[in-house]
Every structure is written in C-alpha cells, then in structure tokens.
C-alpha cells in the first residue's frame, strides 16, 4: 500500500496519507464548510463516528455521503458545500 | 437483494461484538459479524491509521485473525436498516441490499456520545470528545493546535493525553463533575484492577494535564469557525480562552434504535438477563447498548452473549462473577459522572437544537413529546434521524424516544427499492 | 338547556380545522376537540396535494371548488404552510395513457381548469429526472402542494383568532343529539356537532349503520434528504387512477411531491384489510421500485424516513358530508380518503351551507351520509 494517495477536493488536488478518512483529509486541507445548514451556516464534522451527519459531502457524484465513514481512495472526487 | 444465512449474527464490531463472535464461533456455530464502520474495533478500539502498532490496533488485529481462523464472516461498512422479523434483518452495504437470516442475533451496537446544545456548539471546530479522537485516529492533524477538552467522564483524560501525544497543546480539561466526586471515582478505581483503570488512575493522580473539575463550556465563539470558548463553573464565574478546537462530550448514550425496532424492552439501555438475553426470543444484547460501562464490561457481556447464543449456557454462566464486577464499575461511572442541572440551562432561545434542520430551542422547549415536536418544528426530521437532538431533548425535556422506523439509517432509494419479503405467507 | 357553544368540531385534522375556521368566521361560537394534537392522524400521515381529480362528477365539483378556495388564501399564508404552486404533471407511460390524458384535459377544460398536453420531449424538458420512453403528459399548472401539518395549524390559528376555542387533547367518547361526551367526564352541548374524525367517525356515533361506511386504506410514504431541483412538479402516473379508484386489495402507483425543503416525498400505495400502521417492507419495496423505474434520478437520493398511515375511504370515493338523517344536530365531514387536504376547504363550505341552510355552489346530494348507511336511511 502506498504511503500517500491523491484526491480532488472541489477541483483541487490534495495529497493525503493512506487510510485517512475523507473528513480528516478535508479538515487538514482547511475545509470548514463541509455542508451549509438550511439557514446558511457552515458545518463541519462533530461526532466523528457516523452519527451527526454534519460531515456529509458529495463523493464521486454521491450526495450526502458521510466523509467521516469514508476512507480516501486514489482519484476520489469530493465536492463540499463550497462547490455545491 | 442478496440472501445470506448464518447461525449467529453479531451486529457491531467493537469489543462486545468481537468477543461475542469469537465465543459463538468457538462453540462451533457459523457466525457473521457486521459493522457500519469501515474498520473493526468500534469506538473504544478504533485503530489509528497512522500507527499500525498502537495497542488497540494490535488488539483488533489479533482478534481479526482469530475470527478469520474460526471462519467468521466479517462484513464492514454494513448497516442494518430494517427487520422482517427479529432474526431476519436487511442490511445495506455499498450499493447492495442484503437479507440476513440467522437463528440467533447478538446486538452489540455500542454507544454514541451525548452532545448537549450550548451557544456556538454548531461551529466548525467544536467536536465530541470521542468524536475528535475518532477523527484524529482517522488522520486529522492536531499538531500545534490549542485544544480544550470538556464534558464528563474518564474519556476526557484519555483523549486529552492521546491528543497531546499527537502534538496538541491541551489548554484545559474541563470536567463538569465536582472535584469531590472525581476524587471518589479515583479512589474507587482500586476495586477494578485492570489496564483501563490503572491508566486512568495514573492520569488522575499524575495531574500532568490541566484538569479543572466542576467547570464546563457555556459558549463557543468564532467567525464562524471556533476561536474562543467561554468557561463557567458552579460559582458562576466565567472566563474566555483562546483555542483552535473544542472537544466536548457529556458522556455516552446506548444505541438502542435497532433493539427498539426489534421490540426489545429498553429502559436506560436494552434490558437483558444474566445470559444477555433480551425480552425478544433469540435476540441477545451485549456491551454499551445495555448500559455504559466501558470495554471490560463489553468484553465479558459479549463473551456471555456469544456463548449463550451458541447454546453454551454453562460456560456463559461461569462468567457471572466478572460480569458482576463490571456492572459495579458501570454503576460507579453513572454515579460519579452524573450530569449537573446547570447543563440544562446552557441553551438560549436561539441555540440550534436540531443541527440537521436548524431548529432553535425556542421552537421546541414547550413541546412535551417527540412526535409532536417533529411534526410542528421539523426537529429530528433530518438525515441524522434525531440521533443528536433526541438524546439531548431526552435530557433537557424528558422526551421519550420516538418509535424507530425503517430505514434505521438513511439509505439510497435505489437500494431500499430492493426490499422484498422472504417469509412465506406474508409475501405480497 | 344552555349550550356551551354553537358548534363543536370533533377532529383537529385538516378537515376539522377548515370547518372550524369557516364557521368561526361566520360568527359561530366554535369549540374544537381532538384526542391528539392537531394534524395528528391521517392529515400528518399523507401527502399535501391540492389537486383537481376527476374520478366522478361530484369529485370534480368538490376538488375544483376546493382548489379555488385554497387559491384565495395564497397571499395570506405564512411560510409554515409551505404552499408551492408547482402544478401537477400527469405522466403517460404509453399511448393508452396518453389517450386518457387527452380525455382528462377536455374534462378539466370544460370546468375552466387549465391543462396542457405535453409531448414526450416536453415532459423530458419539464422533468429531466424522469426515465426515457414516456408517451407524454398532462400539466395542470393550477395545482399545488402544501406541508399539511403546517396548513392545519395555520387554519386552526386563524379559527382561534376568529373566536374558536381549541381544547387540549382529550378523547371523545360519544356524539349525538347536540352533545359531545368527552373522556374527562365533561359533556359539551351545541346546536351542531361537526364530526371530522376521519376513520374514527363511525365509532363515535350512536347509530351503528355507518360502521362499514369508512374503511381504513393503508398507504406508505417515503421522504428523501434535501436535493433541490430533483422534481419540479407534483408527478403522478396516469395509471394512478387505477390504483386510487380501483378496489384491488393492494396497489402501488408513482406519485412524487417536491417539498419546499428540497426533499422529495415519494408515494404511493393503497391497501385494504391492513390494520397495523407499521411499514411493510414488501409494499415499501414495490412502491419504491415503481418510483425509481419512472424517475431513475431518485436512485442515489437518500431515503431518510418512511411511514404508513390510513386513509379514511368510502366505497364510492366521495366523503360523507351532511347531517345524519335521524339526528340533524350531527353533521359529518369525514371519509375523504386521500383527498382531505384538497377538499378540506370545499367540505367546510358544504358544512357551512348545511348548517345555515344556505345555497351551495357544489351539489350536496352526492355527499349525503344516508347513501352509505347500512339497511337504508334511519336504520
């Protein structure tokens, strides 16, 4: 298994450690608005374990995917609220 | 829809589920174990993606190898979404719907953190305690970050020291329980000689962490990402401290949704007898969902449940002594980390209570039951299905849980469309 | 004997709420009672359509007049009603259904209801998420959807502003002879009692002659997470009529509603004979397979919740609206099946006309409860 893989976040390529979850990778990349709440507030992960659904993003075209439960894979395309 | 058959189905791959699966397989049963996380270990034994040699990682690896050797089928990232009968469950994995038919089911779905609303708790940078730890183990970088760890329970110190090992600067550890109760808990630890309590005991005595008892956060400030936290205490004095991350969790609550869907009796947790049998025939439960007590309770309960589900009642009964000691520890946890009333008064009118739907406290505070609150305010109507707001409202308003309905977790429509009945006579 | 009020309305669902408002605005002293919180029964369990339906002449009369009454309120509705003038797009899957659409268009136009036939290409442009190979469609632009619990609460709030009294939840035991006996021991006396208790209506009456008149017809629904723009109209397959008006033990039909939240409400199923409100996986699966077959774009959307409820169905598909033949103090307003949201407004107008002996623009006779009584009138 390689040490690092590349994913694209809102069109920008990021190198992340193998095994890193998408949520951790996005936070490390400076993303603070994973989604935007109905009243327009930026939201980021809270529970870290698939409970709160605050970390949901679009992964490879799938809306509302929990980034904290998804390990990064090479070539993955992630869209956050920033792009949505 | 893919159909699979097993003798014992274990739902949950934390300590309780791992122990149950190993025990049942050891007794010669065919066993399948499911977990909705990508990796085995549950929350307590979550592996660190950057440290394959961590003690938890090694523990889980060893158990995984033993399960594989015993022929246990392990399915990760697999979530139970509905039940046709208590031993016939539908689960979702990737784009597939599975129909799992077992003779016996062991529920080991663990616990989740109790997150309580207070002004600013929805800001990016405010996490649960176990939540931040889970994210750090999954690669979130805290090196050089100023972190406040707050809430209640032994987890605070454990997480604070783990974060510090990752380079975080721990600004404060705020434990809501009083110094006297904390001391009582620390003194009681000699009665539970184990790795867990040895570690805690060292941390409590060591004082190397900036621990402050009887204090809690009352507001998180930022623009909108977290910048500062206001802290208060029983005397009402407040101070505001700069930080980058706030990890705040007020203990754990059992995950009883699947148990309730199967009509198992539930009070503070799933009700079980000495053999971990629930009120529903052929359904067993073990670990945190029966009551919060840590990994040693989970392990012994899991072992008992696995043996009992495999019909090895004598061996299961032989573990009664360990189970009793674990339950005594659970009672001390509950007593010494009971939440103080002041935490009910942190919410203000415009504090968001339902994070999915942005429902403020002023909309829900006068409602008396969960269903009416949902219909009137949309509280609990979002994708988390009330997982965060429902336990918070149970604490703040005494609301009972709403009846769980399928799907137990949101699932793509295309997958749910594969639902087909399998029981003769009811197929339509 | 002194009266407690002019009219007691039994039932705080959408029909009871509309009746309470109409009567209170007319100056009647109205008291509303329900065993549960407002909109707790069939109202909350269903969809929120305001649609013209042509299952029969009387149904057409009532839905056309009701829709017009809803539209009078458009300017004054608060956000919580979530009124969305999205219109209905009836989907024709084949040439036979397209022929049905053409007939439907003529029927609607004869009543002054705007309706446009769409080619297959126009349907695809109007709703890009639908599958290919459709024959066409019929768009009824004046139809709308509401969030029906919000609409019910709004009607009740206005009724209260007009002087009506909404009692805290209390079970109703018996209705008759100008009295309403409540489980807490009190009896309310009134000149009229309007029973808008849906499927519970017959059980409250002294006569047993209506016990089989309203049958529970179970329905399942599912709702997605927020995905704005997935569908722009209320979408219904023209085959829906076969499900709604047929009497098969079980049927499913494609019916979607866009919610103002960006969610999609997915229906529908119809079952006779089911008594328990739990979600049946087999029926749910069939209903969703129909939905995703006609709208493949739904496949990736998350279903966050499913539920089931009971429509109060009559054998001829028309509600029971009118006085009991043997006890004219009791006026029924029940049995609206799946059209309670649409026809609540028109029903309230009928009830007002009945109580005041005033003329009604919609003929009363087809709705008279006597038609549904076992053993004929007065049995």
């Amino acid at each position: 298994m390689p040490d690092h893989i590349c994913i694209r976040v809102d069109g920008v390529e990021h190198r992340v450690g193998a095994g890193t979850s998408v949520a951790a990778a996005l936070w490390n990349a400076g993303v603070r608005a994973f989604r935007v709440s109905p009243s327009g507030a930026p939201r980021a992960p809270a529970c870290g374990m698939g409970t709160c659904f605050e970390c949901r993003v679009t992964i490879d075209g799938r809306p509302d995917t929990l980034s904290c439960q998804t390990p990064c894979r090479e070539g993955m395309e992630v869209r956050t609220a920033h792009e949505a | 829809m893919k159909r699979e058959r097993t003798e014992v189905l274990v739902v949950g791959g934390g300590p309780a589920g791992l122990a149950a699966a190993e025990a049942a397989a050891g007794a010669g049963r065919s066993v399948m174990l499911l977990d909705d996380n990508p990796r085995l270990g549950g929350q307590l034994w979550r592996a660190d993606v950057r440290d394959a040699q961590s003690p938890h990682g090694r523990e889980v690896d060893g158990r995984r190898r033993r399960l594989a050797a015993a022929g246990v089928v392990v399915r990760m990232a697999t979530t139970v979404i509905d039940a046709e009968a208590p031993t016939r469950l539908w689960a979702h994995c990737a784009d597939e719907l599975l129909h799992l038919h077992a003779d016996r089911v062991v529920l080991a779905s663990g616990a989740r953190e109790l997150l309580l609303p207070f002004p600013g708790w929805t800001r990016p940078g405010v996490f649960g305690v176990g939540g931040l730890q889970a994210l750090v183990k999954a690669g979130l970088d805290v090196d050089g970050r100023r972190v406040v760890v707050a809430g209640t329970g032994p987890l605070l110190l454990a997480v604070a020291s783990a974060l510090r090992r990752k380079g975080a600067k721990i600004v404060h550890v705020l434990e809501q329980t009083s110094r006297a109760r904390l001391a009582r808990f620390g003194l009681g630890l000699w009665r539970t000689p184990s790795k867990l309590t040895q570690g805690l005991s060292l941390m409590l005595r060591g004082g190397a962490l900036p621990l402050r008892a009887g204090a809690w956060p009352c507001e998180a400030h930022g623009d909108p990402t977290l910048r500062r936290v206001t802290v208060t205490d029983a005397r009402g004095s407040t101070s505001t401290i700069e930080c980058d991350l706030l990890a705040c969790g007020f203990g754990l609550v059992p995950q009883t949704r699947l148990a309730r869907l199967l009509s198992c009796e539930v009070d503070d947790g799933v009700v079980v007898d000495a053999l971990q049998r629930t009120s529903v025939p052929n359904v067993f439960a073990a670990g945190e969902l029966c009551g919060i007590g840590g990994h040693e309770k989970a392990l012994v309960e899991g072992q008992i449940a696995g043996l009992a589900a495999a019909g090895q009642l004598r061996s299961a009964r032989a573990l009664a002594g360990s189970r009793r000691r674990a339950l005594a520890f659970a009672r001390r946890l509950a007593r010494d980390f009971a939440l103080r009333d002041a935490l009910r008064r942190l919410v203000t009118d415009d504090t968001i209570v339902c994070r999915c739907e942005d429902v403020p406290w002023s909309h829900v505070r006068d409602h008396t039951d969960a269903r009416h609150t949902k219909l009137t305010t949309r509280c609990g109507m979002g994708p988390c299905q009330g997982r965060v707001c429902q336990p918070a409202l149970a604490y703040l308003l005494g609301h009972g849980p709403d009846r769980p309905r399928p799907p137990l977790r949101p699932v793509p429509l295309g997958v749910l469309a594969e639902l087909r009945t399998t029981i003769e006579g009811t197929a339509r | 004997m002194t009266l407690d009020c002019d009219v007691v309305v039994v039932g705080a669902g959408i029909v009871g709420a509309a009746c309470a408002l109409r009567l209170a605005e007319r100056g009647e002293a109205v008291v509303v009672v329900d065993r549960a919180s407002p909109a707790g029964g069939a109202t909350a369990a269903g969809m929120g359509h305001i649609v013209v339906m042509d299952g029969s002449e009387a149904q057409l009369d009532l839905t056309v007049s009701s829709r017009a009454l809803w539209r009078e309120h458009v300017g004054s509705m608060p956000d919580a009603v979530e009124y969305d003038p999205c219109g209905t797009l009836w989907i024709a899957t084949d040439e036979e259904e397209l022929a049905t659409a053409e007939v439907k268009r003529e029927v609607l136009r004869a009543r002054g209801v705007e309706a446009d036939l769409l080619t297959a290409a126009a349907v695809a442009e109007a709703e890009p998420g639908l599958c290919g190979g459709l024959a066409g469609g019929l768009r009824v632009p004046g139809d709308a959807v509401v969030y029906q619990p919000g609409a019910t609460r709004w009607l009740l709030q206005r009724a209260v502003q007009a002087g009506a009294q909404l009692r805290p939840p209390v079970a109703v035991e018996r209705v008759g002879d100008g009295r309403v006996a409540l489980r807490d021991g009190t009896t309310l006396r009134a000149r009229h009692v309007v029973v808008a208790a849906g499927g519970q209506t017959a059980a409250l009456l002294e006569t047993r002659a209506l016990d089989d008149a309203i049958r529970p017809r179970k329905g399942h629904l599912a709702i997605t997470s927020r995905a704005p723009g997935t569908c722009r109209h209320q979408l219904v397959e023209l085959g829906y009529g076969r499900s709604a008006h047929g009497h098969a033990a079980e049927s499913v039909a494609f019916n979607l509603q866009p919610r103002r939240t960006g969610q999609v409400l997915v229906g529908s199923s119809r079952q006779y004979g089911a008594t328990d409100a739990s979600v049946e996986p087999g029926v749910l699966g069939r209903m969703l397979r129909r939905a995703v077959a006609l709208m493949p774009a739904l496949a990736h959307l998350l279903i966050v919740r499913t539920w089931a409820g009971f429509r109060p169905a009559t054998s001829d598909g028309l509600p029971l609206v009118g006085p009991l033949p043997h006890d004219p103090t009791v006026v029924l307003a029940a049995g609206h099946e799946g059209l309670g949201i649409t026809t609540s407004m028109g029903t309230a107008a009928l009830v007002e006309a009945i109580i005041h002996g005033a003329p009604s623009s919609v003929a009363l006779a087809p709705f008279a409860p006597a038609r549904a009584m076992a053993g004929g009138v007065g049995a």
Side-chain angles (χ1 to χ4, degrees), chain C residues 32 86-87 136 162 191 195 254 328:
Chain C
V32 183
C86 57
R191 207 179 62 241
V195 188
F254 174 77

Side-chain angles (χ1 to χ4, degrees), chain B residues 82 90 357 371-372 375-376 378 381 383 385 403 405-407 410-414 416-421 428, chain C residues 37 40 147 153 226 250 259 261 263 278 280-283 285 288-289 298-299 301-307:
Chain B
D82 197 3
W90 278 287
E357 297 294 316
R371 178 164 188 262
H372 191 237
L375 286 176
T376 314
R378 298 192 56 77
M381 292 278 225
Q385 301 175 318
R403 189 168 143 224
R405 282 186 297 216
V411 54
L413 188 150
L416 205 56
E418 291 304 310
L419 279 175
R420 285 175 170 87
T421 51
R428 290 170 187 277
Chain C
S37 302
Y147 179 53
R153 283 191 295 275
R226 292 172 188 248
E250 184 193 304
R259 287 286 314 277
T261 53
Q263 295 172 283
S278 61
E280 295 169 47
V283 180
L288 296 178
R289 286 196 290 281
L298 294 173
L301 298 189
L302 297 184
I303 292 294
V304 296
R305 211 162 49 253
T306 66
W307 64 95

Side-chain angles (χ1 to χ4, degrees), chain B residues 179-216:
Chain B
R179 191 186 300 266
R181 285 184 174 204
L182 200 56
R184 181 170 67 180
F185 179 77
L187 286 174
L189 288 180
W190 64 268
R191 277 184 273 190
T192 319
S194 72
K195 268 189 244 168
L196 164 79
T197 51
Q198 278 163 22
L200 280 174
S201 171
L202 277 174
M203 281 188 274
L204 284 168
R205 280 205 309 269
L209 288 158
L211 173 65
R212 190 174 157 199
W216 56 92

